[in-house]
Amino acid sequence: MSRESAPSPRGARTQRPAGGIRWRAWARHHRAMVLDSARRLLRRPLGSLMTMLAIAIALVLPAGLWLTLDSARLLDAELEQSATLTAYLEVGVGDSEAGRIEQALAAQAGVLDTRLITAAEGMAEFHQALGLRDALARLDDNPLPASVVVRPADPAPQAVRRLAERFEAVPGVDEVRLDLAWLERLRHLAELGQRVTLALGVLFGLGVLLVVGNTIRLAVENRRQEIEVITLIGATHAFVRRPFLYSGAWFGLGGGLLAWGLLTLGSDWLSAPVSALAASYGASFHLPRLGLEGSTILLCSSTLLGWLGAWIAVNRHLAESRPR
Amino acid sequence: MIAFEHVGKRYGGRFEALANIDFRVRRGEMVFLTGHSGAGKSSLLRLIMRLERPSRGKVRVAGHDIERLHHSQIPFYRRQIGVVFQDHQLLFDRSIYHNVALPLEIQGVEHREAARRVRAALDKVGLLHREGALPIELSGGEQQRVGIARAVVNKPALLLADEPTGNLDPQLSADIMALFEDFNRIGTTVMVASHDLALIARLRHRTLRLHDGRLVADEEVA
Ligand SMILES: Nc1ncnc2c1ncn2[C@@H]1O[C@H](COP(=O)(O)OP(=O)(O)OP(=O)(O)O)[C@@H](O)[C@H]1O
Ligand SMILES: [Mg+2]
């Protein structure tokens, strides 16, 4: 910085303390302002709590959504594990022939495991599904083909599609069906969810900035005279800003902690019905909790948002009060 | 030390508070600034502190055109000037001690050293016994003296005072002026705006007289 050359009535150079002393003074002022801003917060406990609650509410929605999506990703992975393709064999292929074809498919690269459903088993399943019992006796000729259900090692749609093409070239295989549509639908849904979360995160992050900015703007207004006086006697902008930045950070941190509490309570409260609901669909799904990493991200970003909101509010004031 | 070169100041583009002000104050001088109310005394001091910018002309302090100061340098410039404000500008939520300590706190002076200097400054204005009081508990004259203590606590090279004796009785006014003379004797350049003509006449220092924003007299005392 060019401050060193600030002209002084004493001579060419402004008298400034040595580096080490200056640094210690700077650290001392920071420490003093951390405590001072905390004290000011505690002096108006209700007002401070309201501000923090407003911040917390703005944070809970995107954070909760993000958590839900995160666990939906786990569910997604589980579902992908259950992706299968079914190779229908030509009608009239005998059981032993079908067994050989199954072996051939199982030997292909990228196949996790296979299961043979003979024509008779297929018929039995079919009847069971339709609730018919003695129809089997009446049909001498089984019109159903035998089939091989294959679990691919790589559940990615392209890999599965390539596998299907290779299966279709195997003699005795009539047709390969793969049910990827629902998987892709799920993936699109997940992406939609992510984008919505991101948009909400940005929007509500702005909300936090506004909440903190407004609170700090009022604090600046209340201390307008003090700011004016210390500016008159040589306070730098950084010095003027410091207590407000710490206030903003405290508000952000408090809001983040409240949001964390709300999220933990909320996921406890919702977890029983959600697990029960998932179980009724045959899935095991538990509402997630914020881990160490998630908690750290939440608290850091809320503190940072508070600090930033304060910065914007104070700087607007400082810019307005520059000499013309 | 201070040089005004054809300085003019307009407020709001029309009203001319100062016009064609041209004078020089040497290092170590003591100067009075007088004139009727509204003559432009405070405006002139505010130009020196760079609280306002001239509409025309140049203000030089210690050889530097202060107009050219980058805004990040202004705080460091102001720290070199002690100012007694016409309206005290004390902080009412902290004690006399902390008011006087403010410039030192801003500059990061170490606590023990700061305490020593604050007490010395309070002692000079005769308010050492009130260091724990709040400004609100003090009379107008006492508040004025706290403002003076704050202006000198940093041992500035240039001391500006705007009506420093406005609220004081004749005896205290004389004491305060004697205080300024003490500072002047140890090398501080002092500029005092006042309309206490009797006192000014008695003290026999160079006097700049403003009338409607113009410098109408510059009386050196032999
Ligand atoms: N910020 C401002 N905006 C507009 N006009 C101003 C401003 N400050 C001062 N003035 C005008 O400039 C003129 C000079 O004002 P100034 O305060 O310098 O007078 P003064 O000599 O200090 O008076 P007093 O003895 O009453 O303190 C006055 O007419 C005042 O109305
Ligand atoms: Mg005035």
Side-chain angles (χ1 to χ4, degrees):
Chain A
M1 285 245 195
S2 52
R3 282 174 184 161
E4 295 292 350
S5 60
S8 114
R10 262 188 201 132
R13 274 177 184 280
T14 309
Q15 265 202 343
R16 307 193 63 189
I21 293 171
R22 219 163 72 203
W23 190 86
R24 245 176 292 147
W26 179 84
R28 196 168 49 230
H29 189 245
H30 270 273
R31 211 163 37 235
M33 288 304 107
V34 169
L35 295 177
D36 179 72
S37 56
R39 241 178 273 127
R40 280 173 197 274
L41 239 69
L42 294 176
R43 221 178 290 155
R44 295 179 49 248
L46 207 66
S48 304
L49 196 68
M50 301 268 260
T51 301
M52 289 177 187
L53 255 178
I55 295 168
I57 290 166
L59 288 171
V60 158
L61 194 64
L65 213 58
W66 179 76
L67 265 185
T68 314
L69 271 186
D70 206 39
S71 52
R73 255 199 298 283
L74 289 178
L75 191 69
D76 192 24
E78 203 175 283
L79 284 173
E80 278 191 342
Q81 287 307 306
S82 65
T84 57
L85 18 62
T86 307
Y88 292 95
L89 308 186
E90 281 157 10
V91 180
V93 170
D95 283 358
S96 57
E97 178 70 17
R100 261 197 307 282
I101 295 173
E102 187 202 358
Q103 299 286 307
L105 294 186
Q108 298 252 8
V111 174
L112 201 63
D113 59 30
T114 57
R115 184 166 60 92
L116 176 65
I117 299 169
T118 62
E121 283 166 347
M123 194 49 136
E125 266 181 32
F126 179 66
H127 279 267
Q128 216 180 348
L130 289 181
L132 307 167
R133 201 149 293 133
D134 20 274
L136 186 61
R138 269 184 241 134
L139 274 169
D140 303 326
D141 245 2
N142 186 348
L144 290 181
S147 57
V148 180
V149 178
V150 177
R151 221 142 60 87
D154 179 359
Q158 298 95 317
V160 175
R161 241 179 238 121
R162 264 199 306 280
L163 208 59
E165 276 162 26
R166 270 190 280 141
F167 286 176
E168 269 172 346
V170 172
V173 173
D174 183 32
E175 189 188 358
V176 180
R177 287 257 175 91
L178 45 155
D179 203 359
L180 289 171
W182 63 272
L183 252 185
E184 278 184 344
R185 231 171 269 147
L186 197 72
R187 199 165 274 148
H188 290 318
L189 262 175
E191 200 183 318
L192 180 68
Q194 269 161 17
R195 291 193 181 187
V196 168
T197 308
L198 190 70
L200 280 178
V202 170
L203 224 58
F204 282 74
L206 275 177
V208 172
L209 281 186
L210 288 179
V211 169
V212 176
N214 202 44
T215 306
I216 297 296
R217 196 178 54 76
L218 289 177
V220 167
E221 209 58 53
N222 279 334
R223 296 171 70 181
R224 171 172 286 251
Q225 200 238 347
E226 177 184 348
I227 293 174
E228 197 179 312
V229 171
I230 64 176
T231 308
L232 286 180
I233 58 183
T236 57
H237 281 186
F239 187 94
V240 172
R241 245 185 329 245
R242 209 161 288 149
F244 297 107
L245 294 186
Y246 278 117
S247 298
W250 281 125
F251 279 129
L253 182 64
L257 282 171
L258 279 177
W260 186 87
L262 286 177
L263 281 172
T264 308
L265 274 180
S267 91
D268 276 356
W269 190 56
L270 294 177
S271 77
V274 166
S275 298
L277 190 66
S280 77
Y281 280 100
S284 87
F285 177 76
H286 297 288
L287 266 188
R289 297 167 137 278
L290 274 174
L292 186 66
E293 193 192 2
S295 309
T296 313
I297 292 175
L298 177 68
L299 293 182
C300 286
S301 49
S302 68
T303 307
L304 207 71
L305 281 173
W307 185 87
L308 197 64
W311 175 281
I312 293 168
V314 183
N315 267 21
R316 275 200 43 203
H317 175 85
L318 290 176
E320 279 167 16
S321 52
R322 220 173 256 166
R324 274 137 287 131
Chain B
M1 186 62 144
I2 305 172
F4 273 58
E5 298 171 5
H6 307 288
V7 172
K9 175 67 187 172
R10 285 167 182 276
Y11 287 111
R14 291 193 51 122
F15 180 76
E16 203 156 45
L18 292 172
N20 200 25
I21 303 289
D22 205 79
F23 69 89
R24 237 160 251 274
V25 173
R26 285 180 306 277
R27 195 176 295 269
E29 243 186 313
M30 178 151 174
V31 181
F32 282 118
L33 188 63
T34 67
H36 60 91
S37 177
K41 304 182 292 294
S42 298
S43 299
L44 194 151
L45 294 182
R46 289 170 66 81
L47 284 172
I48 299 175
M49 292 166 61
R50 210 187 182 288
L51 287 171
E52 304 285 356
R53 301 167 71 168
S55 315
R56 77 169 57 111
K58 255 193 189 115
V59 179
R60 290 177 178 280
V61 177
H64 294 266
D65 178 1
I66 59 170
E67 179 66 15
R68 304 247 299 269
L69 283 179
H70 189 261
H71 69 83
S72 68
Q73 296 176 319
I74 293 174
F76 299 96
Y77 167 71
R78 289 199 188 133
R79 289 176 192 184
Q80 302 298 316
I81 306 175
V83 184
V84 182
F85 296 93
Q86 188 164 11
D87 45 0
H88 319 329
Q89 299 280 20
L90 300 182
L91 297 183
F92 285 88
D93 64 342
R94 52 189 88 187
S95 68
I96 300 311
Y97 177 93
H98 286 291
N99 266 284
V100 176
L102 212 53
L104 303 176
E105 192 189 312
I106 286 169
Q107 292 175 49
V109 174
E110 190 263 328
H111 282 316
R112 242 167 314 150
E113 168 70 6
R116 201 182 56 70
R117 287 207 232 160
V118 170
R119 301 229 158 85
L122 279 173
D123 193 27
K124 280 216 188 75
V125 297
L127 282 176
L128 189 51
H129 61 293
R130 302 302 305 272
E131 67 171 11
L134 291 173
I136 207 83
E137 302 162 15
L138 266 53
S139 72
E142 287 171 324
Q143 290 182 14
Q144 188 75 291
R145 280 142 72 198
V146 174
I148 293 168
R150 188 184 62 192
V152 301
V153 73
N154 195 31
K155 302 199 190 87
L158 174 60
L159 186 60
L160 305 178
D162 198 352
E163 302 287 357
T165 60
N167 289 310
L168 306 183
D169 60 54
Q171 180 54 47
L172 258 176
S173 299
D175 289 352
I176 291 299
M177 287 300 181
L179 199 63
F180 288 144
E181 289 183 316
D182 283 348
F183 281 111
N184 179 238
R185 254 191 294 281
I186 57 170
T188 308
T189 309
V190 181
M191 191 161 191
V192 182
S194 173
H195 30 221
D196 190 343
L197 295 175
L199 188 63
I200 290 172
R202 196 144 27 85
L203 288 171
R204 306 183 59 75
H205 288 287
R206 179 182 168 197
T207 304
L208 300 172
R209 196 180 312 279
L210 288 174
H211 187 87
D212 281 342
R214 284 168 201 282
L215 188 58
V216 291
D218 184 348
E219 294 148 6
E220 293 273 4
V221 181

